[in-house]
């Protein structure tokens, strides 16, 4: 049996996001966000679920931080709800909203957790959406103001700042397929959104740094490795092209300073308006990059394959393929000059059942994590500089369009009673953290 021993300062953690766990959607002066609006619109979310209460974390954060201590986490990745702090997106600060994050961060520090703060995990203030949202370049300036206020207030305790979580999901699921808020379905708009997000990222990094020169700034990108169905040249070319068109829209401008030629070819005149200086603004040097990895796409010359024979799938219908994580990390590490990497999300949804002993035995989730930890360790041995790992997710939570029907947590949440129960995978993770190693 081989043992994968991690460096002593490797940061093991867990991740969540404001809308998915906080609840208290209209308390203490919070403004409406696009996710409040979207989930309150009939027909958008499975079972008409909403994040109105979710895990009620707004009121139960002390208990949740105690859980993190029980698990022995060293880091906690969370996001702040822009509309809690600026109910209309800009202008007057809602001090009660800011106070919540102030208390939350204090509680993390008291529990010896390294905070990783994400400024934008998809919950844009509705008031800004009413003025065009991310299609309006002014939203990028409002974002930079919000970033500055948050950094001034929390930068003395929060060292790691992320501008955006998964800009490609905002772009394509929010504005091309319309399955996420704000529910727009328009190719031209989606690419304009992508560019404005990139601009907002650049402005955000500048704002964070001028508010506090000591903190680290980065971004979190979700990447699905693209792999050929066979070794035939046509499949390999199709997979490479799929990667270039679908996965490099943020990697290239941020780490190379230009938009990928393959995207120009695919999109043509629907490419966004780019102003002079934008590309330099976007390519700010970063202190870290977060990578979210869940699965891969398998591509043949005739398109994307639906089911891979012999592969296991999660409840999301995503193939379990940990070796593709290693291959992808090695690939991006050789193609880009990257800062230190954190795996900022990785995890799986499975149908959990409560056993007669009251426990949640979730061997598939444990096995999923084990495989991905091992492949990450192998990538580190290949020379990729990976500093930490945030499991998605600490708690079962509101899984966007799927509502509460998909459970990703290492801790079960009973949404009727708000009772938390650590699943077997959580116990297993605690042991990984304690020993700082994974056994094959
Ligand atoms: C990612 C999101 C996260 C969660 C996981 C399952 O795309 O960042 O909020 O929904 O997927």
């Amino acid at each position: 049996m081989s043992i994968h021993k991690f460096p002593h300062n490797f940061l093991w953690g867990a991740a969540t996001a404001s809308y998915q766990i906080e609840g208290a959607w209209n308390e203490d002066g919070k403004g409406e966000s696009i996710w409040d609006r979207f989930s309150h619109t009939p027909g958008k979310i499975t079972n008409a679920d909403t994040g109105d209460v979710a895990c009620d974390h707004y009121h139960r954060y002390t208990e949740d931080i105690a859980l993190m201590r029980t698990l022995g986490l060293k880091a906690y990745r969370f996001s702040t709800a822009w509309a809690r702090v600026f109910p209309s997106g800009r202008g007057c600060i809602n001090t009660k909203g800011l106070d919540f994050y102030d208390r939350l961060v204090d509680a993390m520090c008291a529990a010896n957790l390294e905070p990783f703060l994400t400024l934008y995990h998809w919950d844009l203030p509705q008031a800004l959406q009413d003025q065009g949202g991310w299609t309006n370049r002014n939203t990028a300036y409002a974002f930079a103001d919000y970033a500055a206020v948050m950094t001034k207030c929390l930068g003395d305790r929060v060292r790691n700042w992320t501008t955006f979580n998964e800009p490609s999901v905002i772009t394509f699921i929010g504005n091309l397929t319309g399955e996420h808020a704000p529910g727009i379905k328009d190719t031209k708009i989606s690419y304009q959104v992508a560019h404005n997000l990139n601009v907002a990222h650049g402005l955000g990094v500048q704002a964070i740094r001028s508010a506090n020169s000591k903190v680290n700034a980065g971004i979190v990108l979700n990447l699905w490795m693209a792999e050929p169905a066979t070794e035939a040249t046509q499949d390999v070319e199709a997979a490479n092209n799929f990667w270039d068109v679908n996965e490099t829209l943020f990697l290239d401008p941020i780490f190379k300073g230009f938009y990928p030629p393959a995207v120009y070819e695919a999109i043509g005149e629907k490419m966004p308006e780019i102003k002079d200086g934008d590309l330099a603004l976007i390519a700010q040097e970063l202190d870290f990059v977060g990578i979210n990895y869940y699965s891969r796409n398998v591509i043949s010359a005739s398109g994307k394959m639906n089911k891979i024979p012999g592969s296991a799938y999660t409840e999301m219908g995503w193939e379990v393929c940990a070796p593709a994580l290693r291959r992808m990390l090695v690939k991006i590490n050789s193609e880009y000059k990257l800062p230190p990497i954190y795996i900022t999300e990785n995890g799986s949804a499975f149908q959990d059942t409560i056993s007669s002993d009251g426990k949640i035995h979730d061997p598939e989730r444990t096995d999923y994590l084990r495989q991905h930890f091992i492949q990450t360790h192998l990538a580190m041995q290949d020379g990729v500089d990976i500093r930490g790992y945030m499991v998605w997710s600490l708690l079962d939570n509101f899984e966007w369009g799927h509502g509460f029907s998909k459970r990703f947590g290492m801790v079960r949440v009973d949404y009727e009673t708000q009772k938390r129960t650590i699943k077997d995978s959580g116990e297993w993770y605690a042991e990984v953290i304690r020993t700082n190693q994974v056994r094959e």
Side-chain angles (χ1 to χ4, degrees):
M1 181 198 290
S2 45
I3 293 180
H4 298 264
K5 185 96 196 140
F6 284 76
H8 74 279
N9 53 353
F10 195 74
L11 267 188
W12 296 104
T16 64
S18 48
Y19 188 72
Q20 295 179 278
I21 65 164
E22 284 180 359
W25 77 281
N26 61 356
E27 265 184 66
D28 290 341
K30 177 179 166 294
E32 188 190 15
S33 80
I34 56 172
W35 271 95
D36 294 317
R37 177 70 61 93
F38 194 71
S39 70
H40 293 158
T41 308
K44 299 294 187 194
I45 314 288
T46 305
N47 300 322
D49 289 338
T50 73
D52 291 3
V53 177
C55 307
D56 196 29
H57 175 76
Y58 189 76
H59 300 112
R60 293 168 196 265
Y61 69 93
T62 319
E63 183 191 341
D64 291 338
I65 285 181
L67 266 172
M68 297 181 216
R69 283 203 77 150
T70 306
L71 293 174
L73 303 189
K74 297 182 189 307
Y76 176 46
R77 173 173 180 250
F78 67 110
S79 79
T80 52
W82 185 345
R84 239 184 237 301
V85 180
F86 289 99
S88 340
R90 56 162 73 85
C92 279
I93 295 179
N94 174 37
T95 37
K96 281 192 173 168
L98 197 50
D99 282 353
F100 168 66
Y101 294 116
D102 202 49
R103 282 181 273 128
L104 182 65
V105 166
D106 274 349
M108 278 179 228
C109 294
N112 257 328
L113 289 157
E114 179 81 55
F116 272 70
L117 188 152
T118 303
L119 287 162
Y120 190 87
H121 200 124
W122 308 352
D123 40 0
L124 184 74
Q126 180 63 39
L128 294 182
Q129 186 61 44
D130 294 342
Q131 295 155 39
W134 291 111
T135 59
N136 183 342
R137 197 176 163 99
N138 288 335
T139 303
Y141 295 99
F143 175 76
D145 293 345
Y146 156 61
V149 165
M150 299 308 282
T151 315
K152 267 185 209 137
C153 176
L154 305 173
D156 56 337
R157 286 153 291 159
V158 176
R159 235 183 312 174
N160 298 293
W161 290 77
T162 295
T163 53
F164 287 91
N165 177 69
E166 303 191 347
S168 82
V169 170
I170 305 166
T171 300
F172 296 119
I173 318 285
N175 293 277
L176 181 65
T177 70
E179 292 156 277
H180 280 184
I184 294 169
K185 299 179 189 171
D186 186 297
T187 309
K188 173 109 180 114
I189 285 182
S190 68
Y191 282 89
Q192 189 62 55
V193 163
H195 182 63
N196 289 346
L197 288 171
N198 273 326
V199 168
H201 161 73
L203 292 168
V205 169
Q206 289 181 336
I208 290 167
R209 292 211 170 114
S210 46
N212 187 325
S213 59
K214 295 201 190 99
V215 300
N216 297 324
I219 189 165
V220 165
L221 303 177
N222 59 307
L223 297 171
W224 285 54
M225 183 54 167
E227 304 206 304
T230 72
E231 276 161 26
T233 320
Q234 299 96 308
D235 289 353
V236 173
E237 279 173 3
N240 288 342
N241 188 254
F242 190 93
W243 169 272
D244 290 343
V245 172
N246 293 285
E247 309 294 340
T248 62
L249 186 60
F250 298 92
L251 272 175
D252 275 14
I254 293 172
F255 296 109
K256 287 186 173 163
F258 53 79
Y259 279 107
V263 173
Y264 277 98
E265 244 170 69
I267 301 308
E269 88 285 2
K270 291 197 166 141
M271 275 304 274
E273 189 201 332
I274 299 166
K275 291 200 194 312
D276 281 356
D278 280 0
L279 290 172
L281 172 65
I282 295 166
Q284 301 288 319
E285 209 157 300
L286 299 181
D287 300 302
F288 68 91
V289 60
I291 302 294
N292 294 352
Y293 177 83
Y294 289 93
S295 186
R296 64 169 180 167
N297 288 306
V298 178
I299 310 296
S300 77
S302 49
K304 188 157 98 180
M305 289 179 66
N306 280 329
K307 284 268 175 226
I308 311 307
S311 281
Y313 285 81
T314 70
E315 271 292 300
M316 296 294 282
W318 296 344
E319 186 199 6
V320 179
C321 188
L325 169 60
R326 176 190 185 182
R327 294 192 284 264
M328 188 183 76
L329 289 166
V330 169
K331 173 182 167 70
I332 58 174
N333 193 53
S334 74
E335 292 178 4
Y336 299 88
K337 201 175 155 292
L338 296 176
I341 296 173
Y342 290 88
I343 305 297
T344 33
E345 281 181 32
N346 172 249
S348 54
F350 288 105
Q351 276 298 345
D352 298 325
T353 48
I354 305 176
S355 301
S356 49
D357 58 3
K359 298 195 167 184
I360 297 99
H361 303 300
D362 57 343
E364 297 109 323
R365 187 174 288 104
T366 301
D367 198 49
Y368 180 98
L369 291 175
R370 180 192 290 112
Q371 291 183 41
H372 287 81
F373 291 174
I374 290 171
Q375 294 297 325
T376 299
H377 190 253
L378 293 172
M380 290 163 76
Q381 289 176 340
D382 294 335
V384 187
D385 181 6
I386 303 163
R387 305 282 176 94
Y389 209 107
M390 315 286 155
V391 171
W392 186 270
S393 178
L394 176 71
L395 304 169
D396 288 339
N397 59 46
F398 178 86
E399 178 48 36
W400 309 112
H402 301 281
F404 298 107
S405 68
K406 306 285 184 238
R407 293 180 176 271
F408 273 92
M410 292 181 290
V411 175
R412 181 181 175 86
V413 176
D414 176 330
Y415 296 110
E416 296 290 309
T417 61
Q418 291 296 343
K419 182 168 174 251
R420 277 80 161 131
T421 309
I422 297 178
K423 301 177 191 177
D424 284 3
S425 58
E427 308 278 2
W428 175 83
Y429 188 39
E431 182 66 11
V432 168
I433 299 174
R434 204 180 54 73
T435 57
N436 203 29
Q437 66 184 30
V438 182
R439 285 165 190 277
E440 215 148 294

